[in-house]
Amino acid sequence: MSARTTPPWPLVALFTAGYLAPYLLPTTVGRLDAGLPLSATQAGSIGSALLLSSAAAGFVLASRVDRLGPRRVARAGLLLAAVGYGTAALTTTVPVVVAGALAGGFGSGTATTVAATGIAAQRDPHCASTLGLLGVSALAGAVYLTVPHLGPGHGFPLLAIALVALLVWPATNRLNTNAPAGTNGTTATATATATATATARTSAHRPYPRAGLVLAGTMLLWSLAQNSLWGVSGRIGTAQAGLSEVTVGAVFAIALGAGLLGVIGAGALGPRLGRALPIGAGTAVIACCIAVSAAADDLTSFAAGEIAWNTVYPIVLSYLIGLAATMDPRGRWAVLVGSASSLGTACGPLAGSLLSASAGYPAMGRVLALGLLVIAAPMTAVALHTSGRRILPSTVLRTHAARALTTRTPAGRARTPHTFAVRTHPAPEHPVVEIALDGIPAQRTAYDTAGPRQAAAPGPGPG
């Protein structure tokens, strides 16, 4: 297999280490509640603080990875994750647990930032992010099957995250110190040249500024809804559905296994359906699954909701990560959108705890489902816009535009222009309309984009 097609395994490993903490959130929050003198809301707040620290790392390091060196940044993040989570796992003093969770969260976010920056520079960022989701889903499923048999205590999930950070450390040897995070020793020269060219084109401004901001805002809300339920799913299973921790852990493991199959399917399908359909329709399906899972009162309904949800969720997430990565080859939108997602993830456990405490689990599920249906529309619009496709069919656009341009002669008879053409400039931020009128030759040079011409966003070179 050539270097061009070799999967970026160091980046996949970093992606797995960085994303493991959010995937283990239900068991982490549940064990903090059961093993320490904390209420359910306080345990959820610690989970939110951990993920908020992870999001902060992305915002702080979004544009600094290349300058500081991906190997150096990745190693610092993994070391901080190992020390922070390990300290939180080995003590029962609540302030120390909180401090360790915050430090570990920042380390996880740092690893995720390096991975996202490197994945965005890959030739196929969707494939790289899919491999990362496969890795973290498989690893989290193994932890869910193992932890319930290790005995009580809040430390086992945290120790698992710390151990993974240490195991991933050797993979950083294949990250070049000064090269962009997406390169390795065999492709450094070629990728450095390509990255330099991309940097020259995009150093001044991020491509798709409005679309990127919309995607970041909707990803915050999307992740908030997902993790509001995910943060309390363990308590739904034990308190509302009446299941044991072992049974709930087995359901989560099966659900994550189903997620593996979903991600494999998404990887095999690739961009054949585009991104708009998987993102829009997938989010609508997730909304239905969340409503079912939150209202579960027995094993059948709980397992059905969780398995269906976890099957679709990573599929949609992989397309969202790929969408953000293709919007900027330097990875800036990938990191910022990922950080916005982490911010929503951070607020999820606390939001879920507050909603469920005030309105109950079924009502919380209906609220979250409605919110997802609302944000599905702008997310789909961003996917269409950045792919150069119109949100409305071209026939509809031509009909409305022709009606607007129809004029009337002094005799009152309708007269339409002889020709009407709509074309899209390679940079879809600036549509250009050309109109040829009676007796006036159409001068193509008279119509152009407003402002300086921008280069089209390059194709795939994650997270």
Side-chain angles (χ1 to χ4, degrees):
M1 183 176 292
S2 66
R4 177 173 296 182
T5 59
T6 300
W9 296 117
L11 298 175
V12 172
L14 280 176
F15 186 99
T16 301
Y19 262 81
L20 186 59
Y23 267 68
L24 295 182
L25 191 63
T27 187
T28 301
V29 171
R31 289 203 164 223
L32 287 173
D33 180 15
L36 296 176
L38 298 170
S39 66
T41 302
Q42 289 173 331
S45 300
I46 294 177
S48 292
L50 184 158
L51 297 175
L52 184 62
S53 179
S54 179
F59 287 117
V60 170
L61 300 171
S63 60
R64 295 178 172 85
V65 173
D66 286 349
R67 185 169 69 251
L68 297 176
R71 183 189 299 172
R72 185 181 299 112
V73 176
R75 286 181 171 179
L78 293 174
L79 179 62
L80 190 59
V83 173
Y85 291 127
T87 301
L90 298 176
T91 183
T92 57
T93 305
V94 174
V96 179
V97 171
V98 174
L102 290 174
F106 196 90
S108 292
T110 300
T112 302
T113 299
V114 176
T117 303
I119 287 174
Q122 297 297 309
R123 185 177 299 275
D124 188 355
H126 182 262
C127 177
S129 59
T130 298
L131 290 173
L133 289 172
L134 283 172
V136 72
S137 297
L139 188 58
V143 173
Y144 276 116
L145 288 175
T146 304
V147 165
H149 300 286
L150 299 179
H154 74 284
F156 291 110
L158 297 170
L159 278 177
I161 305 173
L163 180 61
V164 169
L166 292 177
L167 292 176
V168 169
W169 177 281
T172 60
N173 291 329
R174 297 183 59 188
L175 297 175
N176 289 340
T177 303
N178 298 317
T183 66
N184 55 42
T186 60
T187 59
T189 303
T191 310
T193 303
T195 304
T197 304
T199 300
R201 290 197 301 260
T202 61
S203 58
H205 303 287
R206 293 185 181 91
Y208 305 107
R210 289 169 293 179
L213 291 176
V214 171
L215 183 61
T218 51
M219 271 296 287
L220 189 154
L221 299 175
W222 191 85
S223 297
L224 173 65
Q226 310 291 331
N227 288 277
S228 293
L229 180 63
W230 188 238
V232 299
S233 287
R235 296 204 295 273
I236 292 175
T238 55
Q240 181 171 277
L243 308 175
S244 66
E245 184 187 10
V246 174
T247 303
V248 171
V251 171
F252 286 159
I254 295 172
L256 291 172
L260 286 174
L261 297 178
V263 174
I264 291 172
L269 186 63
R272 292 182 179 87
L273 296 178
R275 292 189 177 91
L277 180 61
I279 290 172
T283 298
V285 173
I286 288 173
C288 298
C289 296
I290 284 179
V292 171
S293 183
D297 56 4
D298 57 19
L299 175 59
T300 302
S301 56
F302 180 73
E306 290 291 328
I307 292 173
W309 174 32
N310 281 277
T311 301
V312 181
Y313 165 79
I315 297 176
V316 180
L317 180 60
S318 69
Y319 279 98
L320 287 169
I321 294 173
L323 172 61
T326 56
M327 289 170 64
D328 180 9
R330 293 184 62 191
R332 292 170 295 184
W333 280 128
V335 173
L336 290 177
V337 169
S339 298
S341 175
S342 297
L343 186 60
T345 301
C347 299
L350 180 59
S353 297
L354 294 175
L355 277 174
S356 60
S358 60
Y361 296 119
M364 176 199 71
R366 290 191 293 270
V367 171
L368 297 177
L370 179 61
L372 283 174
L373 291 176
V374 170
I375 66 172
M379 296 177 83
T380 305
V382 170
L384 289 171
H385 175 65
T386 55
S387 65
R389 299 179 183 178
R390 301 181 182 91
I391 299 175
L392 294 176
S394 57
T395 54
V396 176
L397 292 175
R398 282 196 292 268
T399 300
H400 285 281
R403 288 176 181 173
L405 291 171
T406 299
T407 60
R408 291 195 172 271
T409 64
R413 293 174 298 174
R415 178 171 61 85
T416 57
H418 285 302
T419 61
F420 179 82
V422 177
R423 70 176 179 90
T424 303
H425 193 272
E429 291 284 350
H430 306 289
V432 178
V433 178
E434 297 182 6
I435 306 169
L437 299 177
D438 286 343
I440 302 177
Q443 299 294 330
R444 294 180 61 87
T445 57
Y447 304 95
D448 210 329
T449 55
R453 185 180 300 272
Q454 297 182 5

